[in-house]
């Protein structure tokens, strides 16, 4: 049975002229990483807001269809219960730092404090998460004095410490440089290894190719493609929906166009190296 089940989901904002999501059907398995891609305004953030309960709790509007999470209808969850079940990381880390705590340690502890968790347990859980994410060195720093990448890692820590089963992550690296981006994907990978179900909005093809299990493509509120990452990222239709494919897939497609036989189209650097080496061997160009 799927972990998140979405049937005929449509949604229109109260002041919207058209539906932001149109008859979406999707089954999400536990412990897998799903990436949503699509142009601006295609409905990615709206979709995330539904999983997190912001819609229909805060934005009213018209929601049709059903969403069930872990066997329970979205409407049957209390918003507090959903907040623990589904951790949500926003695009911009600056808006997710509380602004009322003086140290990174206290910032990460804040959510547990609100739940009334005992101090001893808070200390143990915050320490564990800081170790896991490699951010103990930021412990006594003031959250407002951190770099964008450090802030984003602290935001992740403050979500992960709540131990959500599901993580919804909306463009977590849009404000970050390549180093900050790499650090965030290390964290996402750690969460994947821990068996979390992850729904990620991200457009960097090479990162999606590396880490994602499944890809969904939204266009103008419609789910126009969905499938395994290697299927979607090697499908030329993606060029018309989002204007991009991984550079390794483009290379593979070019090789096929030039009648060079390859077993499968690569999407990562490692796969393309393998394919090119095999091909050279076949042609006896290398031993
Ligand atoms: P994306 O995240 O893919 O950029 P969004 O989910 O933000 O797309 O937007 C989908 C559609 O919903 C767009 O047409 C957008 O204008 C509209 N929309 C988004 N937020 C609101 C809102 N708060 N009120 C009314 N319309 C909105």
């Amino acid at each position: 049975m799927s972990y998140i089940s979405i049937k005929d989901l449509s949604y229109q904002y109260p002041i919207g002229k058209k539906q932001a999501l149109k008859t979406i059907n999707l089954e999400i398995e536990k412990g897998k990483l799903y990436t949503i891609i699509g142009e601006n305004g295609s409905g990615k953030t709206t979709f995330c807001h539904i999983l997190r309960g912001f819609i229909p709790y805060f934005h009213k509007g018209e929601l049709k269809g059903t969403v069930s999470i872990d066997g329970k209808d979205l409407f049957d969850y209390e918003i507090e219960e959903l907040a623990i079940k589904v951790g949500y990381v926003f695009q911009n880390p600056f808006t997710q730092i509380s602004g009322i705590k003086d140290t990174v340690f206290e910032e990460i502890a804040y959510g547990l404090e609100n739940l009334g968790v005992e101090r001893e347990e808070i200390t143990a859980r915050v320490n564990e998460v800081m170790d896991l994410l490699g951010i103990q060195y930021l412990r006594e720093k003031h959250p407002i004095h951190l770099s964008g990448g450090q802030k984003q890692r602290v935001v992740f820590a403050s979500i992960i410490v709540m131990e959500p089963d599901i993580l919804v992550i909306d463009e977590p690296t849009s404000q970050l440089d390549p180093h900050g981006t790499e650090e965030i994907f290390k964290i996402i990978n750690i969460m994947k290894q821990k068996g979390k179900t992850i729904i990620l909005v991200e457009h960097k093809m090479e990162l999606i190719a590396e880490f994602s299990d499944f890809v969904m493509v939204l266009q103008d509120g419609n789910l126009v493609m969905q499938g395994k990452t290697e299927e979607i990222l090697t499908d030329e239709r993606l060029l018309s929906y989002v204007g991009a494919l991984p550079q390794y897939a483009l290379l593979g497609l070019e090789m096929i166009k030039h009648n060079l036989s390859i077993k499968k189209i690569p999407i990562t650097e490692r796969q393309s190296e393998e394919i090119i080496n095999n091909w050279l061997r076949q042609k006896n160009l290398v031993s």
Side-chain angles (χ1 to χ4, degrees):
M1 200 184 86
S2 45
Y3 194 52
I4 302 175
S5 176
I6 296 164
K7 294 204 163 57
D8 295 331
L9 171 71
S10 300
Y11 176 72
Q12 181 158 357
Y13 285 95
I15 56 159
K17 290 195 184 65
K18 57 185 177 92
Q19 287 184 324
L21 293 175
K22 300 168 187 164
T23 331
I24 306 287
N25 283 290
L26 184 66
E27 302 295 323
I28 290 180
E29 283 175 50
K30 195 173 170 67
K32 300 281 187 227
L33 197 162
Y34 292 75
T35 305
I36 312 176
I37 51 180
E39 287 178 341
N40 265 345
S42 58
K44 305 182 296 296
T45 298
T46 303
F47 183 79
C48 292
H49 282 178
I50 289 176
L51 292 181
R52 178 60 180 77
F54 290 155
I55 297 170
Y57 286 94
F58 299 122
H59 293 288
K60 295 298 175 196
E62 191 184 8
L63 191 141
K64 289 185 193 152
T66 57
V67 177
S68 103
I69 298 179
D70 197 8
K72 185 165 157 178
D73 195 279
L74 186 66
F75 284 98
D76 293 336
Y77 276 92
E78 296 292 330
I79 188 80
E80 296 80 12
E81 190 189 1
L82 203 56
I84 295 170
K85 185 99 188 149
V86 185
Y88 186 36
V89 180
F90 293 80
Q91 256 175 41
N92 185 344
F94 297 83
T95 59
Q96 225 176 342
I97 294 275
S98 74
I100 59 167
K101 295 293 185 183
D102 295 336
T103 67
V104 162
F105 182 91
E106 290 304 328
E107 178 69 30
I108 300 169
Y110 185 42
L112 293 175
E113 231 172 64
N114 280 340
L115 287 182
V117 176
E118 301 243 338
R119 195 69 204 172
E120 219 172 286
E121 189 186 335
I122 293 183
T123 306
R125 277 168 70 173
V126 173
N127 272 328
E128 193 186 332
V129 169
M130 290 177 91
D131 286 341
L132 186 70
L133 305 194
I135 55 168
Q136 280 288 4
Y137 73 103
L138 298 175
R139 186 185 184 87
E140 298 305 326
K141 289 224 156 86
H142 198 296
I144 60 167
H145 294 144
L146 304 176
S147 71
Q150 290 170 338
K151 273 201 181 85
Q152 190 62 300
R153 278 187 284 159
V154 170
V155 167
F156 266 85
S158 62
I159 303 292
I160 290 166
V161 81
M162 309 293 283
E163 297 177 359
D165 289 337
I166 301 165
L167 282 166
V168 175
I169 313 172
D170 194 353
E171 287 201 61
T173 64
S174 60
Q175 318 272 332
L176 306 183
D177 61 17
H179 174 69
T181 299
E182 197 181 308
E183 292 295 315
I184 291 305
F185 269 82
K186 272 189 207 155
I187 296 176
I188 292 174
N189 204 31
I190 292 171
M191 289 300 107
K192 194 177 158 186
Q193 305 306 328
K194 282 177 95 62
K196 303 286 178 194
T197 305
I198 304 173
I199 290 106
L200 170 72
V201 177
E202 175 62 64
H203 60 263
K204 297 186 187 92
M205 287 292 160
E206 273 63 36
L207 292 171
I208 303 170
E210 195 75 40
F211 295 102
S212 192
D213 297 305
F214 297 93
V215 174
M216 288 110 70
V217 185
L218 284 172
Q219 190 197 40
D220 196 22
N222 294 297
L223 185 57
V224 288
M225 294 175 82
Q226 58 167 310
K228 287 193 177 146
T229 300
E230 61 268 26
E231 285 165 15
I232 304 293
L233 295 196
T234 54
D235 188 327
E236 278 181 294
R237 283 180 299 164
L238 200 57
L239 286 170
S240 65
Y241 291 131
V242 296
L245 278 178
Q247 53 180 326
Y248 307 110
L250 289 171
L251 171 72
L253 288 164
E254 267 314 296
M255 288 175 82
I256 290 171
K257 274 183 200 143
H258 288 85
N259 295 324
L260 302 173
S261 76
I262 51 174
K263 281 202 186 86
K264 70 169 194 176
I265 301 167
I267 56 173
T268 63
E269 185 178 3
R270 190 178 39 76
Q271 288 173 0
S272 59
E273 267 174 20
E274 251 170 52
I275 283 164
I276 289 173
N277 284 338
N278 277 344
W279 184 80
L280 291 173
R281 242 178 262 126
Q282 266 174 27
K283 301 282 162 204
N284 290 324
L285 294 174
V286 289
S287 54

